């Protein structure tokens, strides 16, 4: 018998701004999850957060379960989902960190100097000092006490390649960044074609017909029992953003339209960055 428990790190202040952002308001990084899938003895963790402090809290939380952590699986190559790995592995040295082979080079790139400098600028002095890159997963399942966790390729989410983890025994999907629950979606690295492909990624999750969906970004206490609702809301966000970019003349227009339609979502800073990215400086 498997169980799932979710560790959520709340919104974190970041040292950043964006065009149009009111500097009197502190910009934040979205609330993020790390998910423990565990059996009687063993456990696997999906994603590992970013700051040293939250990774230490995560480690304590895992330790308190008394389970043997065998595996940390990284859903996609964005550093906010795996820079905490070194802290987790220091605490559980027998665990291995893995990702699908095509995700590994992307994770490696995030550990290069320019990317690390970017992340350090957002979280000055708060990142772990040592960095670990996940290694390619052998085969296509992760075993927890004889039960299967299945990584599933979905292609594009807020980056490509992206994956989710299907837990068939529990009809559950640990969804990485494919669906966002109650938080503005990171569209800064997407254009219209990519957002179309992101809709196909949501098809893949939908086809798994999960009863529980854990989003990589969701606020503490988020409802995980309405995957269809979360998927539909993510679809709407993508298509509304497309329509806003098509209809708008500027990032400010997109921010206004999206705030009116989706202003209940957390982390408005994300929307400012996403909207700004659609109007590169100097483009007409
Ligand atoms: Zn993310």
């Amino acid at each position: 018998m498997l169980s799932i428990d979710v560790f959520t790190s709340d919104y974190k202040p970041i040292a950043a701004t964006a065009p149009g952002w009111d500097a009197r308001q502190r910009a934040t990084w979205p609330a993020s999850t790390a998910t423990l899938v565990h059996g009687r003895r063993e456990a696997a963790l999906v994603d590992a957060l970013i700051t040293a402090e939250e990774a230490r809290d995560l480690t304590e939380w895992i330790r308190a379960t008394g389970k043997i952590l065998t595996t940390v699986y990284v859903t996609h190559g964005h550093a906010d989902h795996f820079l905490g790995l070194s802290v987790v592995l220091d605490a559980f040295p027998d665990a291995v960190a893995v990702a699908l082979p095509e995700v590994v080079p992307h994770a490696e790139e995030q550990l290069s100097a320019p990317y690390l400098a970017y992340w350090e600028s957002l979280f000055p002095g708060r990142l772990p000092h040592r960095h670990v890159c996940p290694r390619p997963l052998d085969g296509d399942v992760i075993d927890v006490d004889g039960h299967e966790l299945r990584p599933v390729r979905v292609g594009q989410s807020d980056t490509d390649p992206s994956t989710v983890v299907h837990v068939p025994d529990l009809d559950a999907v640990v969804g990485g960044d494919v669906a966002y629950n109650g938080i503005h979606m990171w569209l800064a690295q997407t254009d219209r074609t990519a957002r179309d492909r992101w809709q196909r990624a949501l098809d893949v999750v939908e086809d798994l017909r999960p009863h529980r969906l854990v989003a990589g970004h969701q606020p503490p206490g988020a409802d995980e029992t309405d995957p269809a609702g979360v998927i539909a809301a993510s679809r709407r966000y993508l298509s509304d953003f497309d329509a806003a970019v098509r209809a708008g003349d500027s990032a400010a227009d997109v921010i206004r339209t999206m705030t009116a339609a989706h202003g209940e979502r957390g982390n408005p800073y994300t929307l400012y960055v996403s909207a700004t990215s659609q109007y590169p400086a100097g483009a007409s």
Side-chain angles (χ1 to χ4, degrees):
M1 184 63 191
L2 292 178
S3 306
I4 286 188
D5 285 295
V6 179
F7 181 95
T8 307
S9 183
D10 212 340
Y11 300 97
K12 299 181 275 289
I14 50 172
T17 188
W21 180 259
D22 177 357
R24 287 167 301 181
Q25 218 186 325
R26 192 78 196 262
T28 55
W29 197 255
S32 308
T33 60
T35 301
L36 197 70
V37 184
H38 52 102
R40 269 164 52 88
R41 292 179 60 248
E42 295 177 342
L45 183 70
V46 182
D47 290 342
L49 305 175
I50 178 166
T51 71
E53 186 187 7
E54 68 189 358
R56 276 195 298 270
D57 291 346
L58 169 64
T59 298
E60 293 298 304
W61 176 83
I62 296 168
R63 203 184 285 295
T65 66
K67 304 287 166 78
I68 302 164
L69 186 69
T70 61
T71 310
V72 185
Y73 177 79
V74 176
T75 56
H76 63 292
H78 277 163
D80 59 320
H81 295 259
F82 79 92
L83 275 195
L85 263 182
S86 64
V87 176
V88 174
L89 295 179
D90 283 346
F92 301 97
D94 293 333
V96 291
V98 294
L100 288 191
E102 64 268 37
V103 170
V104 171
H106 196 217
E108 268 165 3
E109 184 183 40
Q110 294 265 303
L111 297 179
S112 65
Y115 280 97
L116 283 177
Y118 162 74
W119 291 106
E120 181 66 29
S121 76
L122 295 185
F123 299 99
R126 294 160 66 196
L127 302 182
H129 297 301
R130 191 168 77 83
H131 305 118
V132 175
C133 193
R135 62 181 209 216
L137 174 68
D138 240 351
D140 48 16
V141 295
I142 296 163
D143 181 280
V144 175
D145 280 340
H147 303 265
E148 284 188 351
L149 278 57
R150 300 196 150 270
V152 178
R153 294 175 165 88
V154 299
Q156 176 78 46
S157 68
D158 61 3
T159 187
D160 182 1
S162 287
T163 73
V164 302
V165 177
H166 184 215
V167 189
D169 285 16
L170 298 174
D171 281 330
V173 167
V174 185
D177 283 354
V178 178
Y180 279 56
N181 187 343
I183 293 181
H184 286 285
M185 298 169 78
W186 184 262
L187 303 180
Q189 288 146 329
T190 64
D191 57 15
R192 200 170 155 205
T193 313
R195 291 188 288 273
D196 280 345
R197 292 172 51 236
W198 194 333
Q199 296 278 8
R200 304 290 80 76
L202 287 162
D203 292 345
V204 175
V205 177
E206 201 164 57
D207 288 347
L208 295 169
R209 305 203 175 282
H211 287 113
R212 180 173 182 180
L213 174 61
V214 182
H217 297 293
Q218 62 183 31
D223 181 4
E224 295 158 358
T225 63
D226 180 23
V230 170
I231 290 168
S234 295
R235 288 191 188 287
R236 228 163 25 242
Y237 192 96
L238 292 171
S239 56
D240 287 355
F241 187 85
D242 264 340
V245 171
R246 262 200 308 278
D249 287 326
S250 67
D253 289 344
V254 174
I255 292 164
R256 203 164 26 249
T257 305
M258 290 300 285
T259 301
H262 299 276
E264 79 291 350
R265 286 183 179 246
N267 222 65
Y269 170 76
T270 300
L271 172 60
Y272 279 68
V273 178
S274 297
T276 302
S277 74
Q278 306 300 306
Y279 300 90
S284 57

